[in-house]
Amino acid sequence: ETSNRSTERDWTFLMNQFPWATYISDGAFKKVYKVFNVMHGGTYEAISVMDIDAISSMGNLNLIGSELAISIMLSCLARRNICPNFVLTRAVFTCEHEPPADLWGSRDA
């Protein structure tokens, strides 16, 4: 449980680091948002959001580990400039609530 708390972020952290965001897309297990990251030189980046409880309730909890492992491996290839078209993974963290649609948007907005 301690390790879970060390990666948990609250909305104060997210809104300070990403003061602007907009919904881009979603898939079977995650939503993707374009965000403005003030902590990395004011760059536009993407955040993927997965609802772990929903994924687990469908019996697909093993997909989360696979998704993260593949993302980290592809990020390593991008950092080494072997496959520069892949996305860099800067961090993995948990948050108790999903982004509010009125702030970050949604498919329906």
Side-chain angles (χ1 to χ4, degrees):
E1 189 173 330
T2 303
S3 64
N4 289 343
R5 281 191 229 146
S6 68
T7 61
E8 188 166 318
R9 303 291 184 252
D10 61 18
W11 273 108
T12 302
F13 168 84
L14 290 174
M15 294 310 294
N16 286 336
Q17 185 161 346
F18 312 109
W20 178 90
T22 188
Y23 171 84
I24 296 175
S25 169
D26 60 51
F29 296 108
K30 65 182 170 183
K31 296 177 184 174
V32 181
Y33 299 88
K34 179 180 179 180
V35 296
F36 184 76
N37 188 341
V38 297
M39 301 302 282
H40 288 279
T43 58
Y44 288 99
E45 299 176 346
I47 288 185
S48 297
V49 176
M50 293 187 283
D51 185 337
I52 295 171
D53 293 332
I55 294 168
S56 180
S57 72
M58 292 184 279
N60 294 311
L61 192 57
N62 61 323
L63 292 176
I64 295 169
S66 298
E67 173 86 18
L68 292 174
I70 291 168
S71 294
I72 297 299
M73 286 188 282
L74 293 175
S75 182
C76 288
L77 292 173
R79 276 189 171 74
R80 293 178 181 159
N81 209 24
I82 295 170
C83 296
N85 294 329
F86 288 123
V87 175
L88 296 176
T89 300
R90 292 198 191 275
V92 175
F93 58 87
T94 61
C95 187
E96 190 173 342
H97 305 284
E98 68 178 292
D102 61 331
L103 294 177
W104 284 26
S106 69
R107 178 180 9 184
D108 301 326

